[in-house]
């Protein structure tokens, strides 16, 4: 098969690779669409020790199961279902969790991928593979909002919510907030090239962080850097709540004194539970998340150019989807 192989920092090769062979409980999926994630970019920079080269990256995928014709989207998070956390439904924080595109699992930037049968969700015929592949990134925001609703003092329908970052995770969080009926939603974005697409989402305001002067009940930090954490802590209102999704950097930005004095809730939120992934897929299928027409598609063979364009900050779209 043809695959995009991460060979080392800033080095990607589209080349022949051995066809994968499924083991017990696994199936072979012909990949029809696979998204470029921020974690793929981290690996591309050589900044993710969990993804050593050579490796096939990619984990936001949809395709067709070999032999059955079943159209599927793939949940790439692979927990140990016998762990205590998994049995409690917290599959995303299973201590033995793995994910496609981390050894020993190859990813989905390829014509074929081996997937555990239990990781598949059937995609209706009216939903494109490109839209189905968005279940994974959008589920991150959906899960964060599930956690926030359980813990925040204010009802979501009566709350003003802010999403920091207009990348795919931020857009997914904003669309999830809209689907769940948040009172007012604003995306804070610094990249002017993204503004036209973000402004076209509908029912969601978009502005530069420097121009935002309100005090929201809920802040979703979809970037996760020192400056975005400082901004979240500064703008959230007393008694409000911050959900931290992004993984841009590990340190700095937390104003622990303000969080304490004003009883502001803060939670780190990682990927999604199995339940949140299914809920997100169903929301895509029934149209609750909108048209989902904002990604850009390109051939997997041209992926190295897309990686470079994202790295240089000249991509207007929040998401690029590769077609093998």
């Amino acid at each position: 098969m043809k695959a995009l192989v991460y060979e080392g920092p800033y080095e990607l090769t589209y080349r022949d690779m051995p066809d994968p062979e499924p083991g017990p409980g696994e199936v072979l999926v012909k990949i029809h669409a696979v998204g470029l994630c921020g974690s793929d970019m981290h690996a591309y920079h050589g900044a993710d020790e969990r993804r050593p080269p050579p490796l096939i990256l990619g984990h936001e995928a949809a395709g067709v199961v070999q032999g059955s014709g079943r159209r599927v989207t793939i949940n790439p998070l692979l927990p140990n279902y016998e762990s205590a956390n998994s049995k409690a439904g917290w599959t995303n924080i299973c201590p033995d969790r793995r994910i496609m595109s981390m050894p020993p699992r190859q990813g989905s930037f390829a014509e074929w991928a081996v997937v555990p049968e239990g990781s598949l969700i059937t995609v209706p015929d009216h939903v494109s593979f490109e839209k189905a592949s968005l279940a994974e990134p959008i589920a991150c925001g959906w899960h964060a909002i599930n956690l926030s609703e359980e813990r925040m003092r204010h009802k979501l329908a009566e709350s003003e919510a802010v999403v920091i970052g207009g990348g795919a995770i931020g857009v997914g969080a904003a669309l999830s907030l809209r689907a769940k009926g948040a009172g007012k939603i604003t995306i804070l974005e610094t990249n002017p090239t993204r503004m036209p697409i973000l402004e076209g989402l509908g029912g969601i305001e978009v502005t530069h962080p420097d121009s935002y002067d309100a005090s929201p009940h809920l802040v979703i930090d979809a970037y996760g850097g020192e400056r975005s954490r400082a901004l979240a802590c500064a703008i959230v209102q007393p008694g409000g709540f911050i959900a931290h999704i992004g993984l841009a950097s590990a340190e700095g930005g937390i104003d622990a004194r303000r969080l304490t004095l004003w009883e502001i809730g803060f939670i780190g939120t990682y990927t999604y539970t199995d339940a949140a992934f299914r809920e997100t897929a169903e929301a895509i299928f029934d149209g609750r998340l909108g048209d989902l027409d904002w990604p850009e598609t390109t051939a997997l063979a041209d992926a190295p150019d897309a990686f470079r364009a994202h790295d240089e900050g000249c991509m207007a779209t929040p998401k690029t989807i590769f077609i093998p």
Side-chain angles (χ1 to χ4, degrees):
M1 70 173 181
K2 290 289 188 180
L4 184 74
V5 182
Y6 166 57
E7 310 278 12
Y10 301 94
E11 186 179 354
L12 299 166
T13 305
Y14 184 67
R15 61 180 173 88
D16 289 318
M17 289 287 285
D19 290 342
E21 296 184 6
E26 298 177 332
V27 296
L28 196 59
V29 176
K30 173 69 172 175
I31 302 299
H32 284 252
V34 54
L36 171 57
C37 176
S39 63
D40 299 316
M41 293 301 301
H42 287 312
Y44 174 70
H45 296 150
D48 188 348
E49 69 280 358
R50 302 170 303 170
R51 292 178 165 95
L55 184 68
I56 299 173
L57 300 171
H59 58 270
E60 305 175 357
V64 175
V65 177
Q66 184 188 44
S68 71
R70 179 187 174 195
R71 306 173 78 248
V72 296
T73 189
I74 299 169
N75 180 343
L77 198 64
L78 308 172
N80 170 11
Y81 285 100
E82 296 304 311
S83 73
N85 281 357
S86 291
K87 288 180 178 179
W90 311 330
T91 47
N92 59 321
I93 53 173
C94 165
D96 301 322
R97 73 191 180 207
R98 293 182 177 180
I99 193 168
M100 292 177 63
S101 78
M102 287 186 190
R105 287 277 179 182
Q106 296 287 343
S108 305
F109 287 160
E111 292 181 296
W112 295 93
V114 168
V115 185
E117 194 161 11
S119 298
L120 304 177
I121 293 179
T122 300
V123 176
D125 289 341
H126 73 275
V127 177
S128 70
F129 291 113
E130 291 83 359
K131 291 181 181 180
S133 72
L134 293 172
E136 199 282 338
I138 295 177
C140 296
W142 189 280
H143 171 64
I145 294 155
N146 282 351
L147 292 180
S148 300
E149 280 192 285
E150 293 171 1
R151 292 162 172 80
M152 58 191 289
R153 298 172 188 256
H154 307 89
K155 293 182 179 179
L156 191 62
E158 300 168 1
S159 296
E160 178 169 352
V162 162
V163 178
I164 301 175
I169 299 298
V171 169
L175 295 178
S176 299
L177 284 163
R178 188 180 67 185
K180 289 172 173 286
K184 182 181 178 181
I185 308 160
T186 303
I187 295 176
L188 304 184
E189 174 58 49
T190 60
N191 185 346
T193 63
R194 282 183 175 169
M195 293 298 189
I197 290 177
L198 299 178
E199 290 168 351
L201 293 174
I204 299 169
E205 295 189 10
V206 185
T207 190
H208 191 282
D210 293 344
S211 301
Y212 184 75
D213 60 1
S215 184
H217 305 87
L218 173 63
V219 180
I220 307 291
D221 185 352
Y223 180 72
E226 181 175 357
R227 292 181 65 185
S228 63
R229 285 189 288 271
L231 176 63
C233 290
I235 64 176
V236 68
Q237 70 170 249
F241 197 82
I242 300 168
H244 187 275
I245 308 177
L247 291 169
S249 66
E251 298 178 355
I254 297 294
D255 186 343
R257 183 175 177 83
R258 184 168 193 268
L259 297 186
T260 301
L261 291 175
W262 293 109
E263 291 193 353
I264 294 165
F266 184 101
I267 191 170
T269 166
Y270 177 72
T271 61
Y272 36 77
T273 61
D274 281 5
F277 190 95
R278 287 192 298 271
E279 291 167 9
T280 304
E282 290 165 2
I284 289 173
F285 301 160
D286 65 24
R288 277 178 286 155
L289 291 168
D291 293 336
L292 301 179
D293 55 0
W294 36 270
E296 177 180 276
T297 59
T298 190
L300 183 62
D302 297 329
D305 292 335
F307 270 78
R308 284 190 290 271
H310 275 281
D311 201 35
E312 294 165 2
C314 57
M315 294 290 287
T317 176
K319 173 63 64 179
T320 296
I321 295 175
F322 299 129
I323 310 300

